[in-house]
Amino acid sequence: ILSEDEEMVINPVNKESVGFYRVTAYDDYGCFVSNYIEVRMHPVPAFTLDNDTICEGETYSLALPEALDGAGGTALWERRIDDATYSPIQQADVSALEAGSHTLRLSFTTDDGCIESAEMTLTVLPAPEFNLPAGDVCEGDDITIIAEDSFSNYSWSMPGNALEGPNEISFTPKANGKVTLAVTDENGCTATKSTEVSMHTLPTVTLSDQTACPDEIITFSVPYDPATHTIIWTLPSGRT
């Protein structure tokens, strides 16, 4: 006998509590009547979520677990804000998550209105941070660009060239252009930055040899803009 009250509560409904129940009513004369009811349970797919780790800015797929393949219902992904608050999260929102640990919850509501949920921890590793200085170089000269020496891989690209190498490169620019560096840290996280390399053309200076008599005065002249150029004359004695 489960109960002699006029009301019986089945809490919770689970595999052990489904089945047939009989209710019997007696009057004061010992007369009685019985009736049977069946308690059934809607099928609800059980599923779990595995914890995962990504790099900051990386795309992450909010894929449904295989246990929900073919199940009728709707799925809702949420991120835990605090102990009591969850906020819906979309696919695009995941790549914008800051570095740290984030609790994600998947709730699945079947077509019968039953709800099953599971949680996972998504760890977001910080992206590498580095500086890439700009470069100014004179026409025909080499330029060296150096990045921090703290990453596991460096991939450089520049106009007409690309190479895997150390944290610094030296080359002779042929024109103004952009140098791009992609670095990879020990966690496999990557970051990319670019810097401009400006090649400055050489000033045009035209001088002709002169032959003069003793004590004659010779004048050499080089047109230039004092706002952008400096002229330095060096005598045969080495004086400037």
Side-chain angles (χ1 to χ4, degrees), residues 59-80:
T59 300
Y60 183 78
S61 175
L62 294 176
L64 299 182
E66 292 184 0
L68 296 180
D69 288 348
T74 57
L76 174 65
W77 283 96
E78 299 172 292
R79 182 172 72 93
R80 188 168 68 188

mmCIF file of all heavy atoms in Angstrom, residues 59-80:
data_model
loop_
_atom_site.group_PDB
_atom_site.id
_atom_site.type_symbol
_atom_site.label_atom_id
_atom_site.label_comp_id
_atom_site.label_asym_id
_atom_site.label_seq_id
_atom_site.Cartn_x
_atom_site.Cartn_y
_atom_site.Cartn_z
ATOM 1 N N THR A 59 37.354 30.168 -33.777
ATOM 2 C CA THR A 59 35.969 29.762 -34.013
ATOM 3 C C THR A 59 35.715 28.416 -33.345
ATOM 4 O O THR A 59 36.525 27.494 -33.459
ATOM 5 C CB THR A 59 35.673 29.662 -35.513
ATOM 6 O OG1 THR A 59 35.898 30.939 -36.116
ATOM 7 C CG2 THR A 59 34.238 29.250 -35.761
ATOM 8 N N TYR A 60 34.587 28.310 -32.636
ATOM 9 C CA TYR A 60 34.242 27.073 -31.950
ATOM 10 C C TYR A 60 32.822 26.683 -32.329
ATOM 11 O O TYR A 60 31.916 27.516 -32.323
ATOM 12 C CB TYR A 60 34.354 27.247 -30.432
ATOM 13 C CG TYR A 60 34.083 25.982 -29.653
ATOM 14 C CD1 TYR A 60 35.051 24.990 -29.553
ATOM 15 C CD2 TYR A 60 32.860 25.784 -29.018
ATOM 16 C CE1 TYR A 60 34.816 23.827 -28.848
ATOM 17 C CE2 TYR A 60 32.615 24.621 -28.298
ATOM 18 C CZ TYR A 60 33.596 23.650 -28.219
ATOM 19 O OH TYR A 60 33.361 22.494 -27.514
ATOM 20 N N SER A 61 32.633 25.434 -32.674
ATOM 21 C CA SER A 61 31.322 24.970 -33.121
ATOM 22 C C SER A 61 30.477 24.502 -31.944
ATOM 23 O O SER A 61 30.882 23.609 -31.185
ATOM 24 C CB SER A 61 31.493 23.825 -34.133
ATOM 25 O OG SER A 61 30.241 23.296 -34.497
ATOM 26 N N LEU A 62 29.320 25.115 -31.785
ATOM 27 C CA LEU A 62 28.364 24.680 -30.764
ATOM 28 C C LEU A 62 27.536 23.537 -31.351
ATOM 29 O O LEU A 62 26.348 23.675 -31.650
ATOM 30 C CB LEU A 62 27.468 25.847 -30.341
ATOM 31 C CG LEU A 62 28.174 26.996 -29.611
ATOM 32 C CD1 LEU A 62 27.200 28.129 -29.345
ATOM 33 C CD2 LEU A 62 28.788 26.518 -28.300
ATOM 34 N N ALA A 63 28.170 22.397 -31.512
ATOM 35 C CA ALA A 63 27.528 21.246 -32.138
ATOM 36 C C ALA A 63 26.752 20.444 -31.099
ATOM 37 O O ALA A 63 27.160 20.332 -29.941
ATOM 38 C CB ALA A 63 28.570 20.367 -32.819
ATOM 39 N N LEU A 64 25.631 19.889 -31.538
ATOM 40 C CA LEU A 64 24.840 19.042 -30.655
ATOM 41 C C LEU A 64 25.498 17.673 -30.542
ATOM 42 O O LEU A 64 26.062 17.158 -31.512
ATOM 43 C CB LEU A 64 23.419 18.890 -31.193
ATOM 44 C CG LEU A 64 22.594 20.166 -31.320
ATOM 45 C CD1 LEU A 64 21.190 19.838 -31.828
ATOM 46 C CD2 LEU A 64 22.515 20.911 -30.005
ATOM 47 N N PRO A 65 25.436 17.050 -29.364
ATOM 48 C CA PRO A 65 26.030 15.713 -29.213
ATOM 49 C C PRO A 65 25.274 14.687 -30.047
ATOM 50 O O PRO A 65 24.107 14.867 -30.404
ATOM 51 C CB PRO A 65 25.880 15.443 -27.704
ATOM 52 C CG PRO A 65 24.803 16.359 -27.240
ATOM 53 C CD PRO A 65 24.868 17.564 -28.112
ATOM 54 N N GLU A 66 25.950 13.578 -30.346
ATOM 55 C CA GLU A 66 25.361 12.542 -31.189
ATOM 56 C C GLU A 66 24.084 11.974 -30.585
ATOM 57 O O GLU A 66 23.206 11.512 -31.324
ATOM 58 C CB GLU A 66 26.378 11.416 -31.413
ATOM 59 C CG GLU A 66 27.582 11.821 -32.257
ATOM 60 C CD GLU A 66 28.507 10.648 -32.523
ATOM 61 O OE1 GLU A 66 28.190 9.531 -32.047
ATOM 62 O OE2 GLU A 66 29.538 10.841 -33.194
ATOM 63 N N ALA A 67 23.971 11.992 -29.261
ATOM 64 C CA ALA A 67 22.778 11.442 -28.616
ATOM 65 C C ALA A 67 21.514 12.173 -29.023
ATOM 66 O O ALA A 67 20.402 11.640 -28.873
ATOM 67 C CB ALA A 67 22.942 11.481 -27.102
ATOM 68 N N LEU A 68 21.639 13.385 -29.547
ATOM 69 C CA LEU A 68 20.460 14.161 -29.946
ATOM 70 C C LEU A 68 20.169 14.050 -31.436
ATOM 71 O O LEU A 68 19.227 14.679 -31.923
ATOM 72 C CB LEU A 68 20.652 15.634 -29.566
ATOM 73 C CG LEU A 68 20.759 15.927 -28.070
ATOM 74 C CD1 LEU A 68 20.949 17.421 -27.830
ATOM 75 C CD2 LEU A 68 19.525 15.431 -27.332
ATOM 76 N N ASP A 69 20.961 13.252 -32.158
ATOM 77 C CA ASP A 69 20.712 13.074 -33.588
ATOM 78 C C ASP A 69 19.329 12.453 -33.798
ATOM 79 O O ASP A 69 19.016 11.392 -33.239
ATOM 80 C CB ASP A 69 21.776 12.178 -34.219
ATOM 81 C CG ASP A 69 23.120 12.870 -34.337
ATOM 82 O OD1 ASP A 69 23.172 14.096 -34.136
ATOM 83 O OD2 ASP A 69 24.121 12.177 -34.602
ATOM 84 N N GLY A 70 18.528 13.128 -34.572
ATOM 85 C CA GLY A 70 17.197 12.603 -34.872
ATOM 86 C C GLY A 70 16.159 12.872 -33.808
ATOM 87 O O GLY A 70 14.982 12.530 -33.996
ATOM 88 N N ALA A 71 16.553 13.466 -32.684
ATOM 89 C CA ALA A 71 15.585 13.733 -31.614
ATOM 90 C C ALA A 71 14.758 14.963 -31.969
ATOM 91 O O ALA A 71 15.279 15.964 -32.445
ATOM 92 C CB ALA A 71 16.309 13.951 -30.290
ATOM 93 N N GLY A 72 13.471 14.866 -31.731
ATOM 94 C CA GLY A 72 12.601 16.001 -32.008
ATOM 95 C C GLY A 72 12.582 16.964 -30.841
ATOM 96 O O GLY A 72 12.369 16.573 -29.692
ATOM 97 N N GLY A 73 12.836 18.234 -31.123
ATOM 98 C CA GLY A 73 12.847 19.227 -30.058
ATOM 99 C C GLY A 73 13.692 20.424 -30.437
ATOM 100 O O GLY A 73 14.137 20.570 -31.580
ATOM 101 N N THR A 74 13.944 21.278 -29.467
ATOM 102 C CA THR A 74 14.729 22.483 -29.692
ATOM 103 C C THR A 74 15.885 22.533 -28.698
ATOM 104 O O THR A 74 15.750 22.110 -27.545
ATOM 105 C CB THR A 74 13.869 23.746 -29.541
ATOM 106 O OG1 THR A 74 13.261 23.754 -28.232
ATOM 107 C CG2 THR A 74 12.777 23.795 -30.600
ATOM 108 N N ALA A 75 17.014 23.074 -29.171
ATOM 109 C CA ALA A 75 18.214 23.166 -28.335
ATOM 110 C C ALA A 75 18.523 24.633 -28.034
ATOM 111 O O ALA A 75 18.302 25.511 -28.870
ATOM 112 C CB ALA A 75 19.399 22.512 -29.029
ATOM 113 N N LEU A 76 19.033 24.875 -26.847
ATOM 114 C CA LEU A 76 19.412 26.232 -26.437
ATOM 115 C C LEU A 76 20.757 26.174 -25.732
ATOM 116 O O LEU A 76 20.910 25.482 -24.716
ATOM 117 C CB LEU A 76 18.358 26.820 -25.493
ATOM 118 C CG LEU A 76 18.699 28.186 -24.867
ATOM 119 C CD1 LEU A 76 18.788 29.265 -25.944
ATOM 120 C CD2 LEU A 76 17.683 28.569 -23.802
ATOM 121 N N TRP A 77 21.734 26.920 -26.286
ATOM 122 C CA TRP A 77 23.043 27.066 -25.642
ATOM 123 C C TRP A 77 23.034 28.337 -24.804
ATOM 124 O O TRP A 77 22.551 29.382 -25.233
ATOM 125 C CB TRP A 77 24.152 27.159 -26.680
ATOM 126 C CG TRP A 77 24.535 25.856 -27.306
ATOM 127 C CD1 TRP A 77 24.083 25.344 -28.483
ATOM 128 C CD2 TRP A 77 25.462 24.898 -26.782
ATOM 129 N NE1 TRP A 77 24.656 24.129 -28.730
ATOM 130 C CE2 TRP A 77 25.514 23.829 -27.713
ATOM 131 C CE3 TRP A 77 26.249 24.837 -25.635
ATOM 132 C CZ2 TRP A 77 26.331 22.708 -27.518
ATOM 133 C CZ3 TRP A 77 27.065 23.729 -25.445
ATOM 134 C CH2 TRP A 77 27.104 22.694 -26.373
ATOM 135 N N GLU A 78 23.620 28.235 -23.595
ATOM 136 C CA GLU A 78 23.704 29.392 -22.694
ATOM 137 C C GLU A 78 25.075 29.419 -22.034
ATOM 138 O O GLU A 78 25.742 28.383 -21.901
ATOM 139 C CB GLU A 78 22.623 29.325 -21.615
ATOM 140 C CG GLU A 78 21.204 29.341 -22.141
ATOM 141 C CD GLU A 78 20.207 29.067 -21.043
ATOM 142 O OE1 GLU A 78 20.182 27.923 -20.545
ATOM 143 O OE2 GLU A 78 19.447 29.999 -20.678
ATOM 144 N N ARG A 79 25.486 30.614 -21.618
ATOM 145 C CA ARG A 79 26.728 30.788 -20.851
ATOM 146 C C ARG A 79 26.380 31.257 -19.450
ATOM 147 O O ARG A 79 25.536 32.145 -19.277
ATOM 148 C CB ARG A 79 27.654 31.801 -21.527
ATOM 149 C CG ARG A 79 28.988 31.987 -20.790
ATOM 150 C CD ARG A 79 29.943 32.851 -21.604
ATOM 151 N NE ARG A 79 29.553 34.232 -21.627
ATOM 152 C CZ ARG A 79 29.999 35.155 -20.761
ATOM 153 N NH1 ARG A 79 30.845 34.810 -19.794
ATOM 154 N NH2 ARG A 79 29.610 36.405 -20.864
ATOM 155 N N ARG A 80 27.018 30.656 -18.461
ATOM 156 C CA ARG A 80 26.740 31.034 -17.080
ATOM 157 C C ARG A 80 27.407 32.362 -16.754
ATOM 158 O O ARG A 80 28.616 32.518 -16.914
ATOM 159 C CB ARG A 80 27.215 29.953 -16.113
ATOM 160 C CG ARG A 80 26.762 30.217 -14.667
ATOM 161 C CD ARG A 80 26.997 29.010 -13.791
ATOM 162 N NE ARG A 80 28.412 28.760 -13.583
ATOM 163 C CZ ARG A 80 28.887 27.679 -12.984
ATOM 164 N NH1 ARG A 80 28.054 26.726 -12.580
ATOM 165 N NH2 ARG A 80 30.194 27.523 -12.828
#
